[in-house]
Amino acid sequence: MNSVHIGKLLPRYQRIARFCGTTMAKEQRQSDNKVYFHYNHTDPCKFARWTTRESFEFMHGRPWQEVADFYSNVVNGNLSLLQLFDEVQTHNNLDVAKLSEVCNRTDFEGTLKEDRSGRLERVTFKIVLSYHGCSFDGWQKQPGLNTVQGLVEQCLGRFVDERKAQLLKEKSKPLEGCAAVAGRTDKGVSALQQVCSFYTWRKDIRIQDIEDVINSTAPGKFRAVSISEVSRSFHPNFSAKWRRYLYIFPFNGGENREPSLRCGEEENILTENGHYGGQRDVSDELRWEGDDNNLIVRDDGELQGPKKSSTFTVCKVNRLLQQLEGKLLSYRIFARDTKASRSIGPPTECYMYHARAAEATIPQPHPGAGRTVMCIELVANRFLRRMVRVLVATSIREAAAGAEDDALLKLMDATCRRATAPPAPPEGLCMVNVGYAEFDPRNCIIP
């Protein structure tokens, strides 16, 4: 292109550049002046409740690395999950072997010898996995990301039958198996006994061979807990009757919290300077009751009381969660990233078998006091996307605001998801196990 043409096009490019720069500056000003709207609660605690930003900052300002390190030690077998609950474990007579037996017990292992022939004569393996969530980009396989499913299917590629191997070769696809899972986990979420399945028509595969391949792929981050041959009718997701999740919420030093596991008639409140400020009755809801003329107007137009409390007790969170037990409810308001077609009706209904909270301590590898944490155990027939993390964050927010014990139940009727808090950080969440027999309330971590 000669200099004449360049001279003619240059003013045009300059005009385009000026237009783009003006547009970007305008969008930046609009973004800076954007008003964030919050859900208008109508209960007496509306001015004591954290906004979305305040809840986000409160949940993320935590020593999450200690929780992630603990999960890593549990995955590697250096620590046990139940070491968090020494007092609770003694009270509940629950041990690690019993917890593992609950996950491994299934009604599909006794029907292996079925009369099958031809293409129906396939072999199905049930694989129980343990992995550290912070080392992966979630379960679901995605291009260019280090996911658990991608790693598992890469390992299983060695055991596919010849027909499937040839089909993958013709389509120029990598030699990988196909793994179904009990429940997909997000990035940062760990699992101790995640269940997946894999089937093949090869008859020369040994269980030990599959285990050796999986355990040698990513040592310290990912391992096979157990592998067994099951009936071809077994499906890790559709055959499951319940799932158990545990969320570990770490406390900062000197922070307001409940100092004891025992929930009696009175609770000691730890003030911010580290001294106990007396006692209060648990019926006290810590709500602000004052004159509306004393309300403070924030820069973003948000009305609030003179001060929002950051105090909450584990007992209060426990009472909020217990209201969900034994009820079939629609948790659509606590779900995130769900399709609009699944926002109403049975697809959003879950039955909560067990929902409890208790104080615990993360064990330290060296002598000394461990990090004090709050553990939340949730067991339900199914969970929606990010439902556990939203439930945890919302229950903490409601406890700090001094809401009524049935506050979570009342939120079920809300029509806007701004009524609930943003999801809690994924580093605290762990899928403990999956059950394929009827749920036994005696096999709970937190009684």
Side-chain angles (χ1 to χ4, degrees), residues 263-291:
C263 295
E265 295 181 355
E266 293 180 337
E267 298 175 354
N268 292 320
I269 301 300
L270 186 63
T271 59
E272 294 187 5
N273 59 8
H275 302 288
Y276 289 102
Q279 296 179 332
R280 71 167 177 88
D281 189 87
V282 296
S283 60
D284 182 8
E285 298 301 335
L286 288 177
R287 66 175 58 136
W288 176 75
E289 296 179 354
D291 189 356

Side-chain angles (χ1 to χ4, degrees), residues 79-128:
L79 292 174
S80 167
L81 180 67
L82 298 182
Q83 287 182 253
L84 287 166
F85 305 97
D86 289 337
E87 298 181 20
V88 178
Q89 179 181 342
T90 303
H91 174 76
N92 203 30
N93 296 322
L94 185 67
D95 55 24
V96 179
K98 189 174 183 180
L99 194 64
S100 300
E101 180 185 355
V102 170
C103 175
N104 294 328
R105 187 171 66 247
T106 174
D107 298 332
F108 296 90
E109 296 182 359
T111 58
L112 296 178
K113 297 181 179 179
E114 301 175 355
D115 295 332
R116 301 190 303 269
S117 61
R119 298 300 299 171
L120 295 179
E121 196 175 358
R122 72 185 189 189
V123 182
T124 302
F125 294 96
K126 173 188 173 187
I127 306 174
V128 181

Side-chain angles (χ1 to χ4, degrees), residues 65 68-69 71-73 75-76 130-139 145-149 151 185-191 218-223 426-427:
Q65 187 58 47
D69 292 342
Y71 280 141
S72 178
N73 286 322
V75 169
N76 292 323
S130 179
Y131 53 86
H132 183 225
C134 295
S135 301
F136 298 95
D137 296 314
W139 167 268
L145 295 181
N146 179 31
T147 63
V148 182
Q149 183 183 13
L151 195 63
T185 53
D186 293 332
K187 179 180 179 180
V189 178
S190 301
K221 303 177 182 179
F222 169 82
R223 69 184 179 94
E427 292 83 359

Side-chain angles (χ1 to χ4, degrees), residues 124-127 152 156 178-182 195-199 230 234-237:
T124 302
F125 294 96
K126 173 188 173 187
I127 306 174
V152 172
L156 298 178
C178 182
V181 70
V195 181
C196 66
S197 67
F198 160 75
Y199 66 84
V230 294
F234 172 80
H235 192 283
N237 186 12

Side-chain angles (χ1 to χ4, degrees), residues 118 224 338:
T338 5

Side-chain angles (χ1 to χ4, degrees), residues 199-390:
Y199 66 84
T200 180
W201 278 270
R202 287 180 54 180
K203 302 297 187 297
D204 59 338
I205 299 176
R206 297 187 307 161
I207 291 177
Q208 188 62 43
D209 294 337
I210 302 177
E211 185 174 347
D212 291 341
V213 172
I214 292 177
N215 291 339
S216 62
T217 303
K221 303 177 182 179
F222 169 82
R223 69 184 179 94
V225 178
S226 67
I227 302 176
S228 59
E229 185 178 343
V230 294
S231 167
R232 67 185 299 270
S233 61
F234 172 80
H235 192 283
N237 186 12
F238 302 131
S239 301
K241 296 186 177 181
W242 51 265
R243 286 96 169 156
R244 187 198 314 270
Y245 280 90
L246 184 76
Y247 195 94
I248 300 179
F249 176 84
F251 289 105
N252 290 322
E255 185 179 43
N256 290 357
R257 63 177 180 84
E258 176 198 3
S260 174
L261 280 168
R262 299 175 61 86
C263 295
E265 295 181 355
E266 293 180 337
E267 298 175 354
N268 292 320
I269 301 300
L270 186 63
T271 59
E272 294 187 5
N273 59 8
H275 302 288
Y276 289 102
Q279 296 179 332
R280 71 167 177 88
D281 189 87
V282 296
S283 60
D284 182 8
E285 298 301 335
L286 288 177
R287 66 175 58 136
W288 176 75
E289 296 179 354
D291 189 356
D292 290 344
N293 295 327
N294 295 327
L295 295 178
I296 296 176
V297 182
R298 296 166 52 95
D299 294 338
D300 56 4
E302 176 77 12
L303 291 178
Q304 67 176 30
K307 184 179 180 181
K308 292 184 180 180
S309 174
S310 60
T311 300
F312 78 92
T313 65
V314 178
C315 282
K316 179 63 177 180
V317 175
N318 185 55
R319 294 199 302 273
L320 286 165
L321 293 172
Q322 276 189 277
Q323 299 292 320
L324 307 177
E325 292 184 353
K327 298 180 179 71
L328 181 65
L329 301 169
S330 173
Y331 286 85
R332 62 183 177 83
I333 202 67
F334 293 95
R336 294 295 187 272
D337 301 334
T338 5
K339 295 181 180 179
S341 60
R342 300 187 60 189
S343 294
I344 57 175
T348 64
E349 290 181 349
C350 307
Y351 185 87
M352 191 70 67
Y353 291 102
H354 189 77
R356 300 294 173 91
E359 185 175 313
T361 304
I362 295 180
Q364 297 292 333
H366 50 79
R371 171 72 60 179
T372 302
V373 298
M374 176 180 67
C375 293
I376 294 179
E377 181 187 10
L378 299 175
V379 184
N381 64 334
R382 60 196 293 266
F383 289 92
L384 306 180
R385 181 165 174 77
R386 299 186 181 179
M387 169 181 156
V388 176
R389 291 163 56 191
V390 176

